[in-house]
Amino acid sequence: MLYNYIKIAIRTIQRDKFFSIINILGLAIGMATSLVIYQYVSFEKSFDGYHKLSDQIFRIRVEGQTYAGEMQFQSARCYPIVGPTVKERFPEVEEYARVFPWKMILSQQDDKIGKREFNEDKMCFVDPSFLDLFDVKIVSAHGETLLEEPNTFLISERMAEKYFGETDPVGKTLLVNGTDPVEVEGVFENIPENSHLQYDFLTAYQTLGGGHFENSWGWNNVFVYLKIQENADIEKLEASFPTMIDEYKGDYFEATQYREDLYLQPLKSIHLNSNFQDEARVNGNGKTVKYLGMISIFVLLLAWINYVNLTTAKSIQRAKEVGVRKTTGASRSSLIAQFLMEAFFMNLIAIALALSLVQLFVPLFNAFAEMNIPFDLWTNVQFWLLLTGVLFTGSLLSGIYPALVLSGFDPIRVLKGSFTKSKEGQGIRKLLVVFQFASTVVLVIGTAVIFYQIEYMRNKDLGIDLEQTLIIKGTNIYEGDSVGGEALLEQKINLFNQHLQSSPAIENVSVSEYIPSVSPHGWGGYIRRSGADLAEARAYQLQEIDHNYLDLYGIDLVGGRNFNQDKITDNRKLLINESAMRNLGFTTSEEAIGAFVIFPFVGQNDEEGEVIGVMKNWHQKSLHDEVSPIIFSYNPSQFSYVSVKINTKALNEDVQMIEETWQSVFAGVPFDYFFADDSFNQQYKSDQQFGKIVLLFSVLSIFIAILGLAGLSVFNCAQRIKEIGIRKTLGAPIFHLIYILSSEVLLLVGLAAIIGIPISYFAFDSWLAEFAFAASVSHWVYVLPVLGILLVSILIIGIQTVKTALGNPVDSLRYE
């Protein structure tokens, strides 16, 4: 019996190759799409899951808000003293590990090629316990105890090859910032991409030297991870934190009417559900992953609906076959089994084709979406179980309704042909066509909305000028290394500026602590206008700049003046933006100019700084975020970033000239640069990736829908060819015949558009709500995609209907 089912299924597929190809191709594209999205979603959800203790590891983060509930900051980092404190106080906490990310210049003296220097920004100071909490696979090491002595570190295999080639690096020495020797204690395997912490160097935390790195309750620049006992009550533990922090800072909280609280984050939830200040890297978006997962299901459903529509549409052609088999004794169950077997074979062939398509197109998908998703599921048992589930679920869902329809034919009605007139035989098919095109409308409109918002963000006036601005990563190599080190650095900066500005290609040069798109790690808290109560203190972004920064970035002053390098007293002056002005309680720039602000200068107790200028608000970060309150102080020797404004289009020659000048002034400091606009737009990379992915799958869903529409159109025309012949014989015009053949399907597509537009509006309005600055989406963004789908539908239907309408009626009526 089974052999007979298989043989008939194969014959049916071979007999009508056109419909078989449409069915298999539609199923294959839908399955391939779902597999690619599944791989992406699996990768995003796999972050940090490879650690054996991942379910027991939590990160502590800190939030600050006023007693009135006004949020001041939400940071992914915490105070360094919290780790030791919670381990001592709470038995549920078995261990802690602190991580302090940093950047450095590493240099090496090579006998063959001389001294080499590199900027390295994937370095972390960590406690020795870090190796116990996280799975860092040591390849080779100096001993069993690692990272317990200052000035020792571990390096990744990638860095071992970069600095030492084939030579064993263990025991070798490198120089940090040109002066401090550090010993390589061991080598670890490269950290996988699905880790929210990315590092190539692990350095002993003791190297930092204690002080506020160990005991501070106010300096929150450290990631603190806890290993918590299995089955511990996390909510109960977290509820104990306010009492603990009140013991150390409660008096200050009462005086300032402001408090800070600690919260636990599961390690595996960080990548998709954490978007706080000072994150270790740009994290993913849990909502995006959920949306894409839903899209994959919808695309697969569209493919299965295609199969159902085409199979039920062709049911009339197999009605006599069913009638004959029933009259010869075939049971309904045997007919259902036969048609389910055909659906199984269709899905099996489609899955095989889908796997081939995935292997072929994943590299193209990665290039298009600017992603690096490996398709490495072949050894994943869960993947094969899912694939098996898709095969049997797809066979059942796509086969059961056609099987029930076909097996339920009444032989007498079939032989009379009365089923062809039954509305009941077409109702489900019409409903499925509406669902299919409504889903396509939602995807296409969603794609339009996403790209509309992306273009809005890219073109909106940021209040700053990022064009033709080259950024060089600086260093603090000279600061504090010797007596007069900061003065030496300032001299070199001035020399570099003079050399560059003597060139007509250079418009301006500035040094600063941060640049647009880079926010400070941690905010300055407890800042208030002089004479105000502590309860009025707020948190602000604090940055150090020089006197050229505002001019270079085109930041406008609404009142007051800029910093002046000739005024020695400007090192205690302040510039504030409009947002900071309002937070400080000033209503106008005139009121703010000359006022004093209690401002914590670096390395000193609270002092008063005078406001000398108010800047017009600009966007330091992307349009995802509100404009932050920013306070600038003056430091012409701040050397974290060097911004160079270029006023020619010969960028290659200009960059070469800048590099030569850099190397002549800052010998030993690598020339590591990027462009400001690229850095700023990088903040929208995840949005662009999301838009490209939705665009790609919208196109595929349209293609699947068109395949089905083409099949339905061919079938409808074939079913009504005699009717068309009679109408032509009686003088019906061509346009009337085209209307008769296409009106019903186009009506269904129009109904789908009416359903899809409001769904799209509400679905993507919630997506836009994630942006502090969202575009006001034009109604044309909703209308034009629908018109496009309607036009494509008309074109597909029109080709076949025109061909049928123009046919010779003699050919269709010769047997009547």
Side-chain angles (χ1 to χ4, degrees), residues 648-709:
T648 70
K649 294 184 178 181
L651 287 180
N652 291 335
E653 293 81 355
D654 295 337
V655 170
Q656 183 177 355
M657 180 270 293
I658 295 169
E659 180 177 9
E660 291 173 355
T661 306
W662 178 270
Q663 297 296 355
S664 67
V665 176
F666 300 108
V669 181
F671 181 72
D672 191 354
Y673 74 93
F674 55 91
F675 286 93
D677 54 350
D678 292 337
S679 175
F680 201 93
N681 289 332
Q682 191 72 11
Q683 298 175 101
Y684 303 126
K685 183 177 180 180
S686 61
D687 299 312
Q688 292 171 327
Q689 289 174 337
F690 180 49
K692 287 182 177 181
I693 292 172
V694 175
L695 171 63
L696 177 62
F697 296 141
S698 297
V699 171
L700 291 176
S701 69
I702 292 173
F703 182 70
I704 292 172
I706 286 174
L707 281 178
L709 196 61

Side-chain angles (χ1 to χ4, degrees), residues 493-508:
I493 291 172
N494 291 333
L495 180 61
F496 180 70
N497 290 357
Q498 291 170 10
H499 281 320
L500 285 188
Q501 295 199 39
S502 64
S503 168
I506 305 303
E507 183 178 318
N508 209 340

